[in-house]
């Protein structure tokens, strides 16, 4: 009987073997979880919160927007410039003969005017503003400073429309070569040199007169050294030459507007030719009229003003 119990005790029970196997497997798994670098260690740490283990939190973390480009703020539209004091309108005035006008916005380059603003007329003394500008720019380009006597002559040409001194300056700048420079430098499109080569019969249109004004205003005509001087002299025009465009403005504004006018009786054509150039803060203007010679100077001088008044915006 005793021998039978020892025989059974020496054999492993199947159930006992299964239990032992489960325990061993459990011990192996625990060891793997604790072993550094084990994939099970990383998973366990992610599950149980081991701070020493690397954790992939990409799936749980909120999206990182810091690397995304911020939407560009919508650009604010550039404010429109204040309107000029002139309206883009066609006018029909009770004026004898031919007339035309043009205004150039010096901020934008836009030109408005009468339908015939490209038609030309002879400039008379209006062209003296260019002759003086051409003289001053060329002197500066040559490294020369005009003498006080020459500047005094230039003042007389601009303020008082002195013909004798204008002829002297015109000779010094090459006569018709100077008008060709005007056409090139000021980018005129309708102008031409007089057939006789003289300054008085230079042909400009109201549109090109406004372009000449812009050319003086922005410094192309007289150059950087003398532009302010020339515009100031044109503001000081006096006597018989002080008429036309700026007279249409309130008296408080008139002295801020630079001008150069031309007036002549053309016996060959039996016409009066009256021309007006003005330079304002943001604009330049040209007005030209022609009419029968017997009507006198004053008729055209007043009509330069009348045409300007007709295209000014209403302030009421």
């Amino acid at each position: 009987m005793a021998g039978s119990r020892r025989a059974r005790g020496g054999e492993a029970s199947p159930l006992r073997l299964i239990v032992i196997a489960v325990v061993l497997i459990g011990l192996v798994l625990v060891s793997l979880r604790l072993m550094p670098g084990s994939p099970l260690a990383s998973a366990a740490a992610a599950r149980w919160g081991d701070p020493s283990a690397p954790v992939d939190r990409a799936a749980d973390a909120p999206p990182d927007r810091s690397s995304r480009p911020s939407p560009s703020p919508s650009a604010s539209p550039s404010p429109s410039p204040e309107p000029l004091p002139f309206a883009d309108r066609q006018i029909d005035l009770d004026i004898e003969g031919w007339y035309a006008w043009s205004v150039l916005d010096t901020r934008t380059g836009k030109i408005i005017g009468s339908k015939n603003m490209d038609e030309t007329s002879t400039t008379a003394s209006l062209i003296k503003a260019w002759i003086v500008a051409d003289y001053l720019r060329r002197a500066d380009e040559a490294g020369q400073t005009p003498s006080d006597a020459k500047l005094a002559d230039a003042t007389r040409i601009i303020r008082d429309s002195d013909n004798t001194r204008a002829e002297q300056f015109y000779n010094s700048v090459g006569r018709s070569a100077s008008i060709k420079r005007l056409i090139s430098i000021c980018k005129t499109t309708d102008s031409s040199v007089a057939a006789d080569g003289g300054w008085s019969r230079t042909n400009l249109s109201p549109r090109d007169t406004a372009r000449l004004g812009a050319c003086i205003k922005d410094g192309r005509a007289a150059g950087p050294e003398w532009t302010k001087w020339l515009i100031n002299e044109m503001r000081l025009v006096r006597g018989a030459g002080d008429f036309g465009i700026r007279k249409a403005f309130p008296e408080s504004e008139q002295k801020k507007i630079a001008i150069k006018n031309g007036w002549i009786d053309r016996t060959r054509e039996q016409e009066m030719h009256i021309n007006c150039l003005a330079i304002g803060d943001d604009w330049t203007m040209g007005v030209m009229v022609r009419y029968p010679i017997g009507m006198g100077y004053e008729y055209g001088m007043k009509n330069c003003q009348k045409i300007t008044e007709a295209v000014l915006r209403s302030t009421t």
Side-chain angles (χ1 to χ4, degrees):
M1 181 70 74
S4 297
R5 286 192 191 102
R6 283 195 298 270
R8 285 196 299 270
E11 294 175 0
S13 166
L15 179 60
R16 186 178 180 184
L17 290 174
I18 290 171
V19 171
I20 292 171
V22 169
V23 171
L24 289 174
I25 290 170
L27 291 173
V28 170
L29 290 174
V30 170
S31 299
L32 287 173
R33 286 183 176 183
L34 298 177
M35 184 181 298
S38 167
L40 291 179
S42 298
R47 183 175 180 183
W48 303 113
D50 181 357
S52 64
V55 180
D56 180 7
R57 300 186 183 276
D60 300 324
D64 181 8
R65 294 181 174 86
S66 61
S67 61
R68 294 184 182 180
S70 301
S72 301
S74 56
S76 300
S78 301
S80 299
E82 289 293 320
L84 295 182
F86 305 94
D88 187 1
R89 66 166 70 104
Q90 297 303 310
I91 56 176
D92 184 9
L93 304 178
D94 184 18
I95 294 177
E96 187 77 20
W98 172 91
Y99 66 90
W101 66 276
S102 183
V103 170
L104 187 152
D105 187 332
T106 55
R107 302 165 301 180
T108 65
K110 181 181 178 181
I111 297 176
I112 61 173
S114 56
K115 290 180 179 178
N116 60 345
M117 65 179 172
D118 60 338
E119 295 179 15
T120 64
S121 192
T122 65
T123 62
S125 293
L126 183 150
I127 201 64
K128 292 172 184 174
W130 167 259
I131 295 171
V132 170
D134 197 33
Y135 169 81
L136 293 171
R137 187 195 69 259
R138 285 164 56 83
D140 187 54
E141 289 172 348
Q144 301 169 355
T145 301
S147 66
D148 291 343
K150 278 294 185 184
L151 290 177
D153 286 345
T155 290
R156 292 286 298 276
I157 294 170
I158 298 298
R159 296 192 197 183
D160 303 315
S161 209
D162 186 290
N163 287 335
T164 300
R165 289 173 172 82
E167 185 70 20
Q168 292 169 353
F169 271 54
Y170 190 57
N171 288 333
S172 72
V173 293
R175 297 187 66 80
S176 59
S178 177
I179 306 305
K180 292 177 181 177
R181 285 193 293 272
L182 182 157
I183 294 169
S184 173
I185 292 172
C186 299
K187 309 298 183 186
T188 61
T189 56
D190 315 315
S191 310
S192 62
V193 176
D196 63 4
W199 52 264
S200 178
R201 282 190 173 272
T202 299
N203 289 286
L204 290 184
S205 63
R207 178 169 65 182
D208 280 354
T209 299
R211 287 170 172 154
L212 170 58
C215 193
I216 292 171
K217 180 178 172 62
D218 66 22
R220 285 174 289 158
E225 182 67 24
W226 293 103
T227 293
K228 288 181 66 175
W229 183 92
L230 176 58
I231 291 176
N232 185 63
E233 291 298 311
M234 293 173 69
R235 289 185 178 128
L236 298 173
V237 167
R238 58 199 174 191
D242 186 9
F243 64 86
I245 295 170
R246 74 177 176 189
K247 295 295 186 182
F249 287 80
E251 190 171 350
S252 60
E253 296 181 37
Q254 290 180 19
K255 291 303 181 182
K256 301 175 186 176
I257 299 173
I259 64 169
K260 191 72 191 88
N261 297 321
W263 62 103
I264 193 168
D265 52 340
R266 297 288 187 202
T267 55
R268 184 194 310 169
E269 295 88 350
Q270 286 295 292
E271 292 177 336
M272 301 295 298
H273 290 197
I274 311 294
N275 311 297
C276 298
L277 163 65
I279 302 172
D281 286 340
D282 300 313
W283 54 269
T284 61
M285 186 175 191
V287 179
M288 297 181 132
V289 297
R290 290 195 306 264
Y291 53 92
I293 196 169
M295 300 181 74
Y297 292 111
E298 192 172 344
Y299 182 77
M301 293 173 173
K302 287 183 176 179
N303 280 326
C304 267
Q305 178 179 340
K306 182 177 180 179
I307 291 165
T308 306
E309 290 170 344
V311 296
L312 282 175
R313 294 182 184 275
S314 174
T315 56
T316 59

